[in-house]
Amino acid sequence: MATTHKVQQILGFALAGSLLTLAACSRSDQASDGAVLPSRGTNTSAAALGSKADALRELGVIGALANQVAGGASAWNSGNADAQRVRPWAFNNAERAQSSGADSSSGSCPGGGSFTSQDSSASRSYTLFGGQSAETAQSRSSEVNCKSAFPQQGGVTQTLSLNGVQESGAAQGLSYGSAGSGSEPYTELYEKKEGSRLVDSIKLSYQGLSEVKSAQGSPLDARAVYAYRYARSSGDFFSADVGSSGTPFKVVQGDLLSVSGPYSYSSKSCNGGAATVTTTDGLAFAGAGDQIVAGTLELASGSNKAVFRFKPDGSAELDLNGNTQTLSADELRAAINPANPC
């Protein structure tokens, strides 16, 4: 299946997982064939918020995270390049080993390793919605070095290796997804080889919980507490910890959009940091979702604060640490869908 759809299936509707309180550091994960992929935590220091460029950068990052939590829907412009890092290669739309549809199944994966899956139904407490309980149909799977190989093209072989536990389920008006078990995240390792030579590899890991409420006629309310890591053999990386214990990251999407909650991140392109976003007036979008035309968004980072007040022409007034300036529609459009994001 396409990677974007697979990511949504893993987490029910979004990338989500438990907040990992990691220091700004890096280590190396050794792939099975000797390739080294860096796995980096997020920067938990306050994000820089002293200039217009800082404020616009954070607006772009918030857009990427809002897309992840809302499952890539038009919560924010889905062309955001950081959000697209969850989709490394199309893999020719090949299918990996999956459950047979029975209540319980297990088996070997096409390229080695194994998987088990189990479907069940039980009363579940939706913790991100205050412990609301509902009878839930759920599916749980575990993969151990489960590898799939894809048709060779031009002498290049592609493989996907999966490890870990994932779970998802749905009830009347509620759904959830989780990834990882205990301290172990759910991981995916994508590799491209020419013969025995590794030419490219990407490692993704997810850990935590996402839940969504979507009653008919009401806004979609998506909540998440998760850790996400992307690392490429070229040195590119993007890490995010979103939400915290007792304070999930929320995306409420109806006629207007509201985004709120704590987050921290790091990437190759910028140092990153930690901040909290609040929507004080719902955001309205125009066109293809690449222009905010109403609403107020507040961003706090350490002792610094930025307030965006969006205007009908797509521009905004930015109050940055008590100093007011104008952001043009073009500047805001570029921030929401940056060509060279963090």
Side-chain angles (χ1 to χ4, degrees):
M1 63 183 69
T3 303
T4 299
H5 295 154
K6 173 172 57 58
V7 165
Q8 292 174 11
Q9 182 185 37
I10 288 170
L11 296 157
F13 67 94
L15 286 175
S18 359
L19 179 67
L20 299 182
T21 310
L22 302 176
C25 62
S26 65
R27 61 184 176 83
S28 292
D29 289 337
Q30 191 75 19
S32 58
D33 63 355
V36 175
L37 289 179
S39 177
R40 304 170 191 262
T42 64
N43 184 350
T44 56
S45 301
L49 199 58
S51 68
K52 178 172 71 172
D54 290 337
L56 289 170
R57 179 199 64 238
E58 292 304 304
L59 191 63
V61 171
I62 292 166
L65 299 179
N67 273 330
Q68 291 183 338
V69 173
S74 58
W76 212 275
N77 190 290
S78 60
N80 188 298
D82 269 340
Q84 293 306 308
R85 282 176 165 150
V86 305
R87 188 180 182 182
W89 302 308
F91 280 108
N92 306 309
N93 294 319
E95 294 288 334
R96 67 179 218 213
Q98 295 186 32
S99 167
S100 65
D103 289 341
S104 180
S105 64
S106 62
S108 298
C109 300
S114 62
F115 75 95
T116 61
S117 65
Q118 183 173 12
D119 298 331
S120 62
S121 180
S123 178
R124 183 179 188 280
S125 175
Y126 287 78
T127 59
L128 303 185
F129 287 94
Q132 180 177 344
S133 296
E135 189 69 17
T136 301
Q138 51 198 22
S139 178
R140 177 183 175 88
S141 68
S142 177
E143 288 153 322
V144 180
N145 297 319
C146 179
K147 182 174 286 189
S148 297
F150 301 87
Q152 189 178 94
Q153 291 186 341
V156 176
T157 300
Q158 301 181 32
T159 60
L160 166 61
S161 301
L162 306 170
N163 270 287
V165 175
Q166 55 179 297
E167 187 175 320
S168 62
Q172 183 67 37
L174 289 164
S175 62
Y176 80 97
S178 66
S181 177
S183 62
E184 296 299 319
Y186 184 85
T187 64
E188 305 177 1
L189 177 62
Y190 300 80
E191 295 180 317
K192 286 183 178 180
K193 293 182 179 180
E194 290 181 351
S196 61
R197 184 176 70 89
L198 183 72
V199 295
D200 197 4
S201 56
I202 294 175
K203 187 173 184 178
L204 307 176
S205 70
Y206 328 101
Q207 188 167 26
L209 174 67
S210 64
E211 295 178 350
V212 64
K213 181 181 286 188
S214 54
Q216 187 172 5
S218 299
L220 177 135
D221 186 344
R223 305 182 180 187
V225 184
Y226 74 81
Y228 168 66
R229 305 287 183 263
Y230 161 101
R232 194 161 194 164
S233 54
S234 63
D236 188 24
F237 71 94
F238 180 75
S239 301
D241 290 347
V242 177
S244 65
S245 177
T247 310
F249 194 93
K250 300 180 183 180
V251 178
V252 180
Q253 184 178 4
D255 293 336
L256 301 176
L257 174 73
S258 174
V259 181
S260 64
Y263 67 92
S264 62
Y265 71 100
S266 294
S267 79
K268 182 181 180 180
S269 304
C270 64
N271 189 42
T276 298
V277 60
T278 305
T279 305
T280 55
D281 294 301
L283 307 179
F285 288 75
D290 62 350
Q291 195 170 40
I292 308 175
V293 294
T296 304
L297 193 75
E298 296 186 1
L299 180 65
S301 176
S303 60
N304 294 323
K305 184 177 182 180
V307 181
F308 297 86
R309 297 183 178 90
F310 299 98
K311 299 181 179 180
D313 63 357
S315 66
E317 178 185 273
L318 171 64
D319 184 334
L320 184 60
N321 301 317
N323 298 313
T324 302
Q325 53 192 297
T326 298
L327 300 174
S328 71
D330 288 342
E331 286 177 313
L332 288 169
R333 189 179 291 110
I336 293 175
N337 187 11
N340 297 294
C342 281

